[in-house]
Amino acid sequence: MSDAYTLLAFGGAIVALVLLIAKFKVHPVATLFVIVTTLGLVLGLGGAKTLKLVTEGFGSTMSNVGLLIIFGCVLGKMLELSGAALRITEEALRWFSGRKIPWAIALASAVVGIPLIADTVVLMLIPVVSAIAMRSGMSMMRLGPILYIGAYVMTSLLPPGPGPLAASALLGVDLGQAMLYGALVGIPGIIVATLYLLTIKTYVAPKAEYVDHLTAVPAGAGGATGGTEETKSTGTATGSTERMPSLALSLIPIFTPIVLIMLDSYAVDMVGETSRAGGVLRFLGAPLMALFIGCLTALPLFGREWRAKSTLNDLFEAGLKLAALPLALTGVGGALALIIRDTKVADGAADMIRDMGLSPIIVPFLVAAAICTITGSNILGVMTAAAIMEPLMEGLGISALAVYLACGTGAQIMKHANSSGFWVTTTLSNMTVGQGIRSIGVASAVSGVTGFAILYVLYAMGLV
């Protein structure tokens, strides 16, 4: 079988993958399964071997990442339902005032967005942001997208978000490095995207359903979409926090697993892996154990209800339901990687990329960007791009960490009308589709390009 035929089949598979999901609205899991099995048959593996590789790829991937995704989704659900995410947001707003309010929203969104999907962050916090917009006279065309973009960048780049968690497992990236370097390239993206959003002058009022119970909009802020925004910040408090957990309790479940994983990645070598302290750090910092401990530290968020069935059982089941799609996508993505490796597609693709003179780091970025832009899903973008690129890494001579970061930055580009996150943010922020593209669409592209620029510098310096 010629290299040209192999590459043509692989290219056709990618095109079919995108068309089935984006145009014909076939479920991503079913689409990936059809593509993987068809690719195996077309490339001459035969039915029995194709199914064997699919099963092996799915099983090996699940053994590495299955429980990680489950615990990560459970942790996110606990933070959402306990009120911890809202507490973090309101506390950030207390630290900032006046024209700094947008940065408080960006900060809160980024922190809460580490374990939570961006759509969930918007659904949960848009009433708070809408109240701020009304009381301050700031435009929802600024504040709504800022609320979305912080969580969006984090859920594209940092574990324990399901996309980054799956991508790091598929590529074999150390989670400590994924967190550290993910933040290093992600935070500048959030900053630059926020700066862009702050240049928008069009005033968009918050939805009436969120602000009808509050005092009137300050004079000069306008009352309808259109015109120029007048920023008159008068306060940040948005509601009572009496029934919410403390800030310390709210932050502990987010940062405990991060700290434990970082200690495992960077501190074990200092104390010696064979020492007692090294053994303890290695055990507690193992990603699986660290995320489970994070879930345990979230129990106090529920006060006296932590021992109730609704917390110990029902909440865990809610997390399992949330984990179902990332689990299935990751498993079939692992099967795709195994098929690509077994059929030697990776070797031909790597040779073609070298012949074209492209820098290897650009390839995973473009693959992830194309998948995200066409399908509308950053999670699918980072996971699928990682599955496609994993067999190519050796041939391209590029590290797993660099590929991971390129997939994570590419998967941010760009949100538009085929994305659930775009519609959630646009609708709840009272924007038109055009306003959503000008704000959310452009900001997501800005964050991705900025993150990739940082990555490219790190790559050129040989740091990743």
Side-chain angles (χ1 to χ4, degrees):
M1 193 174 295
S2 68
D3 289 343
Y5 175 81
T6 300
L7 290 174
L8 184 63
F10 178 58
I14 301 304
V15 172
L17 171 74
V18 170
L19 286 176
L20 286 172
I21 295 174
K23 183 174 179 59
F24 297 104
K25 310 302 179 185
V26 181
H27 194 279
V29 176
T31 299
L32 272 172
F33 179 76
V34 169
I35 294 300
V36 169
T37 52
T38 303
L39 188 61
L41 294 174
V42 167
L43 293 178
L45 294 180
K49 186 174 183 181
T50 296
L51 292 178
K52 181 174 182 290
L53 288 175
V54 169
T55 303
E56 287 180 359
F58 189 95
S60 63
T61 304
M62 283 298 96
S63 67
N64 290 328
V65 76
L67 284 174
L68 287 174
I69 291 177
I70 289 173
F71 289 151
C73 289
V74 169
L75 176 59
K77 205 66 180 174
M78 295 176 82
L79 291 169
E80 174 190 348
L81 298 180
S82 65
L86 181 58
R87 180 54 189 250
I88 293 168
T89 302
E90 294 211 343
E91 203 64 38
L93 291 168
R94 294 180 191 277
W95 299 342
F96 296 84
S97 61
R99 295 181 181 273
K100 297 178 182 177
I101 286 177
W103 295 103
I105 295 173
L107 172 63
S109 175
V111 172
V112 175
I114 294 174
L116 290 178
I117 296 172
D119 300 30
T120 302
V121 173
V122 173
L123 287 167
M124 185 168 49
L125 298 180
I126 198 69
V128 177
V129 172
S130 297
I132 293 168
M134 196 215 68
R135 288 172 172 165
S136 66
M138 293 185 183
S139 173
M140 286 301 295
M141 196 172 169
R142 287 183 176 186
L143 299 188
I146 288 174
L147 172 64
Y148 179 74
I149 206 71
Y152 179 64
V153 171
M154 288 304 187
T155 201
S156 300
L157 277 166
L158 259 71
L165 198 56
S168 62
L170 287 167
L171 296 168
V173 177
D174 176 81
L175 275 189
Q177 287 189 325
M179 290 175 174
L180 179 63
Y181 285 91
L184 188 61
V185 302
I187 291 173
I190 295 173
I191 293 172
V192 176
T194 301
L195 288 171
Y196 162 73
L197 290 168
L198 290 177
T199 66
I200 294 176
K201 301 298 183 183
T202 304
Y203 180 78
V204 175
K207 289 176 74 73
E209 64 194 75
Y210 294 130
V211 298
D212 274 349
H213 62 291
L214 301 173
T215 56
V217 180
T225 302
T228 302
E229 173 189 343
E230 302 245 356
T231 304
K232 294 188 179 182
S233 303
T234 58
T236 61
T238 58
S240 172
T241 61
E242 289 180 6
R243 296 185 180 180
M244 288 188 288
S246 69
L247 178 63
L249 282 180
S250 300
L251 291 173
I252 285 173
I254 296 176
F255 289 105
T256 293
I258 293 175
V259 170
L260 290 174
I261 291 171
M262 289 292 188
L263 287 173
D264 176 36
S265 297
Y266 298 104
V268 169
D269 291 339
M270 299 180 187
V271 299
E273 188 173 353
T274 58
S275 67
R276 178 172 297 182
V280 171
L281 288 176
R282 181 69 75 192
F283 174 73
L284 296 179
L288 184 61
M289 183 56 63
L291 282 174
F292 182 68
I293 292 172
C295 293
L296 293 180
T297 60
L299 290 175
L301 296 173
F302 296 89
R304 296 178 181 178
E305 297 297 317
W306 77 268
R307 291 178 291 182
K309 175 180 177 292
S310 59
T311 301
L312 296 178
N313 184 79
D314 298 353
L315 194 147
F316 200 90
E317 286 190 359
L320 285 174
K321 292 177 182 178
L322 186 63
L325 178 59
L327 281 172
L329 284 173
T330 305
V332 184
L336 175 61
L338 192 58
I339 292 283
I340 292 173
R341 186 185 298 109
D342 192 85
T343 54
K344 308 300 182 185
V345 170
D347 297 335
D351 290 340
M352 182 182 69
I353 291 167
R354 282 196 298 268
D355 292 343
M356 292 172 63
L358 289 175
S359 173
I361 193 68
I362 295 176
V363 178
F365 173 79
L366 294 178
V367 170
I371 294 173
C372 178
T373 300
I374 297 171
T375 66
S377 172
N378 62 315
I379 294 176
L380 185 64
V382 67
M383 290 166 57
T384 307
I388 292 171
M389 293 304 305
E390 189 274 333
L392 303 179
M393 291 189 303
E394 185 177 352
L396 291 173
I398 185 172
S399 71
L401 178 60
V403 172
Y404 167 82
L405 295 172
C407 291
T409 53
Q412 296 171 41
I413 300 173
M414 67 173 277
K415 304 305 280 187
H416 59 94
N418 64 349
S419 162
S420 63
F422 174 88
W423 281 113
V424 166
T425 309
T426 298
T427 303
L428 298 185
S429 298
N430 208 23
M431 293 188 290
T432 65
V433 173
Q435 290 169 339
I437 292 174
R438 278 178 54 204
S439 56
I440 302 164
V442 176
S444 64
V446 167
S447 68
V449 170
T450 300
F452 182 72
I454 301 294
L455 167 61
Y456 197 88
V457 171
L458 296 174
Y459 177 76
M461 296 173 64
L463 298 177
V464 294

